Amino acid sequence: MKVSEIGQFPLINKISQLIDDCKDNSVSWQNTIEAAGDDCAVWLGEDVKYFGKVDCQVESVHFNLDVISWQDLGRKALAVNLSDIASMGGLPRYAMVSLGLPLDTEVDDVMSLYGGILELAKETGTAVVGGNISRSLVIFIDISLIGAAGNPAGNYLSRSSAKAGDLIAVTGSLGSAAAGLRLLTGRDQTENTQYDSLMQAFLRPEPRLKEGILLEKMGVKAAIDISDGLLADLDHICSASKAGAKVYLKELPVLPALRNAFPENYYEMALAGGEDYQLLFTAPEPIINKVIENCDYPVSVIGEITEQSEERIQLFDESGRIIKTDKLGWDHLKSR
Amino acid sequence: MKVSEIGQFPLINKISQLIDDCKDNSVSWQNTIEAAGDDCAVWLGEDVKYFGKVDCQVESVHFNLDVISWQDLGRKALAVNLSDIASMGGLPRYAMVSLGLPLDTEVDDVMSLYGGILELAKETGTAVVGGNISRSLVIFIDISLIGAAGNPAGNYLSRSSAKAGDLIAVTGSLGSAAAGLRLLTGRDQTENTQYDSLMQAFLRPEPRLKEGILLEKMGVKAAIDISDGLLADLDHICSASKAGAKVYLKELPVLPALRNAFPENYYEMALAGGEDYQLLFTAPEPIINKVIENCDYPVSVIGEITEQSEERIQLFDESGRIIKTDKLGWDHLKSR
């Protein structure tokens, strides 16, 4: 059945039933007074710092249904927002989901999309309290998310707190999602289970929420999530912190599968591929060591913060020579 | 200059400057810690009930730039959300603006759009704290809005509180926006200043925020904003409140201009036109009288709430006869 056959309100009712099944004892749901069913969602405010973020996935710009399933698309649309909450050291609370759907969209596909959103919402303690459905020529999934500071005193991770002398570190590995997308688009390697980790990195990114909370607890002040690509996001930190950075190519964490699949250009993917949704953070060495000691998830030191200089980021190759790079990630508005 | 020539970050910088100029001493801006510039917006939470709402305007579904200017489009995209906060008896606090823009969109038009959003934000004490810009084949403006209960004890207006015996009332007049759209689309009457009020009702709807606060203060419990059309929205109240309703055609408030412009079908527009963004509310007679006494803006009693019955809404014509109606507003997903 298509959304044009079922109509707006019955479709919303079906979605509301899915959401009802997700309610649990998380702080978010406990504080929720109304989720859908009235003009607004209603929740009990807390005397904390709140974080707000909105991010949108647009068909044929951010995703292509040849490559990603509706379920994974739903998960990912929420994951990219959760990743921003993670990079502040926050706990997710409330999500509102605004969908744009062509009239011939299958109702079952909308249910799968919501299934993916709600699956990750449940895993992360997020209450999906509201939403909207609009007719549209292209599919879009716009999710706004409200989080609360993980630190009761309200401290949080910011882009502007990096200091000269800080080490630069990242969680997990880089470039996998960009490689996964290329494999999925090329289609020649999708059956190769050796590359599953790369494709999964693109299809099902895991927001580093636990790690964000841990970083803040260990005393880290500066962090960002890597969505535009390592260099672009490090540039955001340098710009906001009025600092420079040195990055050592040989320290970049990349999966063996990435090196195997793209021996020629895996560095490029790790530096500028984007969509890693890992955390990039800076702190003095003792704090970084404490993080590494206490974190269950891999953390790699990749460089250091310097005083502000003309060339904001200096990149060193294996033999210690500076290499030029002008590929600072991806500007999805600018014509190429 | 087009957005594809300026690129994402310079465009965001230009918007940030506009927003900076809007910061004032409103509660919202006083509580705002970060607006744009980091991964998330950050604000100080309050120990109140919060309202959350998201609504989207999609090109050629909700608007057409032949008919509405970029500036008015921005105002309206925010107004439709504010109207939902009004219908809860809430005060707007924080807005996040997610835009979908084709690459050939003029930067000046984006600035006008934001100009319209920020104009109404300033008038209503709303802080625009975050946003997102995506490339898209069609223009969309998705705004998520967070409000706080106007009543310090947390009472608010809901759809589900109507009781048999309540009178039904509306603010302002009905059908004007639907008529305005028809005039603007037809283009034959747009020069006729007699119809300005109708066209303005469509182009620049005014969210009834003050009236929402007043209603709650006077003891009203049930309200909704009229976006889908009077009958459809009254049906939402009846359904949520498990009640029925009687509506008297001759009591419907319509502007003389509407009767003049559409003598044949002005009733239809008032009943099912949609986009009125007036408040529809119910309460016992003494409370309604208190509202009428204290409200600077017109309020009309149009019917009464009854016990639940098979035919949820009974509509009476001038001579007191029941008339059939199957046009319960507009389902924008369903094929016509």
Side-chain angles (χ1 to χ4, degrees):
Chain A
M1 188 187 281
K2 302 197 182 300
V3 300
S4 59
E5 293 167 296
I6 190 173
Q8 190 182 8
F9 298 114
L11 180 59
I12 290 172
N13 284 342
K14 276 176 81 82
I15 293 169
S16 297
Q17 281 163 26
L18 275 190
I19 293 175
D20 276 343
D21 294 341
C22 275
K23 293 180 181 169
D24 58 20
N25 288 325
S26 60
V27 180
S28 322
W29 279 121
Q30 279 183 36
N31 284 347
T32 301
I33 300 165
E34 305 261 6
D38 217 307
D39 296 272
C40 293
V42 185
W43 64 85
L44 274 177
E46 302 157 77
D47 184 15
V48 296
K49 276 179 196 152
Y50 277 116
F51 305 131
K53 176 71 189 179
V54 60
D55 208 339
C56 194
Q57 300 283 308
V58 181
E59 186 182 12
S60 82
V61 176
H62 300 91
F63 68 89
N64 193 317
L65 285 164
D66 292 345
V67 160
I68 194 166
S69 69
W70 284 90
Q71 170 101 6
D72 281 348
L73 178 59
R75 266 191 84 94
K76 188 166 175 177
L78 181 59
V80 302
N81 273 296
L82 289 168
S83 180
D84 282 294
I85 300 288
S87 76
M88 308 291 282
L91 296 162
R93 285 279 193 270
Y94 309 102
M96 296 190 287
V97 178
S98 188
L99 299 181
L101 298 175
L103 287 177
D104 65 352
T105 309
E106 291 291 337
V107 171
D108 283 349
D109 290 337
V110 182
M111 293 301 113
S112 299
L113 178 82
Y114 252 94
I117 294 171
L118 291 170
E119 182 186 71
L120 186 57
K122 187 142 196 164
E123 286 169 28
T124 56
T126 309
V128 177
V129 293
N132 186 63
I133 301 177
S134 292
R135 182 150 57 89
S136 169
L137 281 174
V138 290
I139 302 164
F140 62 82
I141 303 120
D142 198 34
I143 300 189
S144 49
L145 188 65
I146 290 142
N151 179 325
N155 298 337
Y156 60 89
L157 306 168
S158 84
R159 295 182 178 188
S160 55
S161 311
K163 300 248 178 305
D166 279 2
L167 296 185
I168 302 170
V170 293
T171 60
S173 52
L174 301 172
S176 303
L181 174 59
R182 207 172 301 183
L183 290 166
L184 286 161
T185 315
R187 295 194 158 268
D188 48 335
Q189 298 283 359
T190 50
E191 303 299 308
N192 191 335
T193 54
Q194 191 200 342
Y195 299 143
D196 269 0
S197 57
L198 304 178
M199 292 180 281
Q200 288 302 307
F202 173 78
L203 296 172
R204 291 170 70 93
E206 291 290 335
R208 310 301 345 158
L209 287 161
K210 268 189 210 161
E211 291 74 19
I213 298 282
L214 178 79
L215 293 182
E216 195 285 318
K217 218 180 223 169
M218 298 289 115
V220 174
K221 304 272 182 247
I224 193 170
D225 74 313
I226 306 176
S227 53
D228 296 329
L230 174 67
L231 290 181
D233 289 309
L234 180 55
D235 192 65
H236 293 321
I237 285 196
C238 289
S239 161
S241 299
K242 299 187 173 43
K246 290 181 178 177
V247 171
Y248 304 101
L249 224 51
K250 71 173 184 330
E251 307 298 343
L252 296 184
V254 292
L255 293 181
L258 173 58
R259 261 198 300 261
N260 292 343
F262 298 100
E264 303 289 314
N265 44 6
Y266 67 93
Y267 272 145
E268 194 189 311
M269 288 177 176
L271 288 168
E275 296 220 68
D276 292 307
Y277 301 112
Q278 297 293 344
L279 297 182
L280 168 64
F281 57 101
T282 86
E285 189 170 1
I287 290 178
I288 297 282
N289 288 339
K290 245 171 78 182
V291 169
I292 293 172
E293 213 169 287
N294 287 281
C295 192
D296 299 335
Y297 192 73
V299 168
S300 313
V301 174
I302 62 164
E304 63 214 44
I305 295 292
T306 63
E307 298 293 342
Q308 199 164 14
S309 67
E310 206 175 317
E311 185 141 30
R312 210 134 57 185
I313 301 173
Q314 293 183 298
L315 195 60
F316 296 88
D317 72 8
E318 282 90 341
S319 53
R321 275 175 305 212
I322 290 185
I323 48 178
K324 283 264 171 212
T325 173
D326 51 0
K327 291 196 176 166
L328 288 172
W330 185 57
D331 186 330
H332 70 133
L333 277 185
K334 208 143 185 172
S335 302
R336 275 163 294 184
Chain B
M1 189 186 281
K2 301 196 184 300
V3 300
S4 59
E5 292 165 296
I6 190 172
Q8 189 183 9
F9 297 114
L11 180 59
I12 290 172
N13 283 342
K14 276 177 81 80
I15 293 170
S16 297
Q17 281 163 26
L18 275 190
I19 292 175
D20 276 343
D21 294 340
C22 275
K23 292 179 181 171
D24 58 21
N25 289 325
S26 59
V27 180
S28 322
W29 280 119
Q30 279 183 35
N31 284 347
T32 300
I33 300 165
E34 305 261 8
D38 217 307
D39 296 270
C40 293
V42 186
W43 64 85
L44 274 178
E46 302 157 77
D47 184 15
V48 296
K49 275 181 198 153
Y50 277 116
F51 305 130
K53 177 71 189 181
V54 60
D55 209 339
C56 194
Q57 300 283 307
V58 181
E59 186 183 11
S60 82
V61 176
H62 300 91
F63 68 87
N64 194 318
L65 286 163
D66 292 345
V67 160
I68 193 166
S69 69
W70 283 89
Q71 170 101 7
D72 281 346
L73 177 59
R75 264 192 86 94
K76 188 167 175 177
L78 181 59
V80 302
N81 273 297
L82 289 168
S83 180
D84 282 295
I85 301 287
S87 76
M88 308 291 283
L91 296 163
R93 285 280 191 270
Y94 309 102
M96 296 191 288
V97 177
S98 188
L99 300 181
L101 298 174
L103 287 176
D104 64 352
T105 309
E106 291 291 338
V107 172
D108 284 348
D109 290 336
V110 182
M111 292 301 114
S112 299
L113 178 82
Y114 252 94
I117 294 171
L118 292 170
E119 183 186 71
L120 185 57
K122 189 143 195 164
E123 287 169 28
T124 56
T126 309
V128 177
V129 294
N132 186 63
I133 301 177
S134 291
R135 181 151 57 90
S136 169
L137 281 174
V138 290
I139 303 164
F140 61 82
I141 304 119
D142 198 34
I143 301 189
S144 49
L145 188 64
I146 290 143
N151 178 324
N155 298 338
Y156 60 89
L157 306 169
S158 84
R159 294 182 179 187
S160 55
S161 310
K163 299 249 181 304
D166 278 3
L167 296 185
I168 303 169
V170 293
T171 61
S173 52
L174 301 172
S176 304
L181 174 59
R182 208 174 297 184
L183 291 166
L184 287 160
T185 316
R187 295 191 156 270
D188 48 334
Q189 299 283 357
T190 50
E191 304 299 307
N192 191 335
T193 54
Q194 189 201 345
Y195 299 142
D196 268 1
S197 57
L198 304 178
M199 291 181 279
Q200 288 302 307
F202 174 78
L203 296 172
R204 291 170 71 94
E206 292 290 335
R208 310 302 345 160
L209 287 160
K210 269 190 210 161
E211 291 74 20
I213 298 282
L214 178 79
L215 292 182
E216 195 286 317
K217 220 181 222 168
M218 298 289 115
V220 174
K221 303 275 181 244
I224 193 170
D225 74 313
I226 306 175
S227 53
D228 296 329
L230 173 68
L231 290 181
D233 289 310
L234 180 55
D235 193 63
H236 292 323
I237 285 197
C238 289
S239 159
S241 299
K242 299 188 173 41
K246 290 181 180 178
V247 172
Y248 304 101
L249 223 52
K250 70 175 185 327
E251 307 298 342
L252 296 184
V254 292
L255 293 180
L258 174 59
R259 259 198 301 260
N260 292 343
F262 298 100
E264 303 289 314
N265 45 6
Y266 67 92
Y267 272 144
E268 193 189 312
M269 289 176 176
L271 288 168
E275 296 220 68
D276 293 308
Y277 301 112
Q278 297 294 344
L279 298 182
L280 168 64
F281 57 101
T282 86
E285 191 171 359
I287 292 179
I288 298 282
N289 288 339
K290 245 171 78 181
V291 168
I292 293 173
E293 211 169 289
N294 288 280
C295 192
D296 299 334
Y297 192 73
V299 168
S300 313
V301 174
I302 62 165
E304 63 213 43
I305 295 291
T306 64
E307 298 293 341
Q308 198 163 16
S309 67
E310 207 175 316
E311 186 140 29
R312 210 133 56 186
I313 301 174
Q314 293 183 299
L315 196 60
F316 295 89
D317 71 9
E318 282 91 340
S319 52
R321 273 175 305 214
I322 291 186
I323 47 178
K324 282 264 168 209
T325 174
D326 51 1
K327 290 197 177 165
L328 288 171
W330 186 57
D331 187 330
H332 71 133
L333 276 186
K334 207 139 186 175
S335 302
R336 276 162 293 183

